[in-house]
Amino acid sequence: MAGSTTEHAPDYTAILGISDEAARLRALDAYLSTRSYLQGFALSQADVDVFRQLSGPPADPQLFHVARWFRHVTAILGSPPAARPPCGLQASRGRRAQPTWSPPAGSEPCQLRLYNSLTRRKDVFVPQDGRRVTWYCCGPTVYDASHMGHARSYISFDILRRVLRDYFKFDVFYCMNITDIDDKVKGVLRIKF
């Protein structure tokens, strides 16, 4: 577990000693606000022990860090049983699962807004054909060895395509052009996701 147990155990020891759950959650939130618990995060035994003491996610919306940490650890270990003392269970070494995200309760669904150069303001995006979106994109011009600029066009446009498909629930037809100037031939790669 890459030595993370010894780094974080002393801070967690103080948190584990707090008997009142509300006070324990506040102390855990203050501690987690100083720690990166998502990017590159590996569960330590101390994480497992603190998680097993919690009865559920915090109800207080001010405990933002604990809520995110709790969802993250739940995605890896599953839901915690009833609160109990530290148990010595081994933390998962498997692939980290990203917790699912959902908008806050009572909020309106998001709408995609794009800058309209005709009206010079951001307008709500409305596809011409229901939920179907057709998208043509200029891809790389390949004339030499591959480099990071080639990967950037694939990655950044794929991220945008996934946002349109997975978050806004559009049916996206994505078409990318790849130009090979050595042969003076313009090839079109059409990809439907």
Side-chain angles (χ1 to χ4, degrees):
M1 289 181 251
S4 59
T5 304
T6 56
E7 284 176 36
H8 301 302
D11 295 316
Y12 276 135
T13 303
I15 294 169
L16 285 169
I18 301 172
S19 58
D20 178 43
E21 183 161 348
R24 186 170 47 235
L25 286 172
R26 285 191 300 277
L28 181 59
D29 191 68
Y31 171 67
L32 291 173
S33 69
T34 65
R35 178 176 167 212
S36 174
Y37 48 88
L38 290 179
Q39 185 173 2
F41 174 69
L43 281 179
S44 68
Q45 188 59 49
D47 283 305
V48 174
D49 291 341
V50 170
F51 178 73
R52 296 290 184 211
Q53 279 208 347
L54 300 177
S55 59
D60 184 358
Q62 297 295 320
L63 300 175
F64 171 78
H65 299 287
V66 175
R68 285 186 67 187
W69 173 84
F70 188 89
R71 283 194 309 264
H72 178 74
V73 177
T74 300
I76 295 171
L77 296 179
S79 60
R84 61 183 186 204
C87 57
L89 290 177
Q90 287 298 319
S92 169
R93 291 183 188 210
R95 183 177 175 195
R96 182 181 73 130
Q98 186 67 27
T100 56
W101 180 86
S102 59
S107 64
E108 294 181 18
C110 292
Q111 294 180 324
L112 178 61
R113 295 180 180 273
L114 300 174
Y115 180 75
N116 184 340
S117 59
L118 184 63
T119 61
R120 296 177 188 240
R121 64 173 188 236
K122 289 183 184 177
D123 292 327
V124 174
F125 175 70
V126 180
Q128 292 176 340
D129 187 17
R131 302 293 298 166
R132 183 171 166 76
V133 175
T134 55
W135 180 4
Y136 174 80
C137 174
C138 291
T141 300
V142 183
Y143 56 87
D144 204 353
S146 296
H147 55 82
M148 289 303 293
H150 294 138
R152 184 190 179 279
S153 63
Y154 294 117
I155 291 171
S156 48
F157 288 120
D158 184 60
I159 290 169
L160 294 173
R161 178 192 60 81
R162 288 173 189 245
V163 168
L164 287 171
R165 183 193 68 189
D166 298 339
Y167 183 75
F168 291 105
K169 306 296 184 211
F170 288 118
D171 178 23
V172 180
F173 182 84
Y174 179 70
C175 178
M176 178 183 277
N177 179 62
I178 299 176
T179 305
D180 182 353
I181 62 168
D182 287 340
D183 295 329
K184 307 287 188 256
V185 175
K186 194 175 249 191
V188 176
L189 174 65
R190 292 181 184 213
I191 305 171
K192 167 87 165 79
F193 292 97

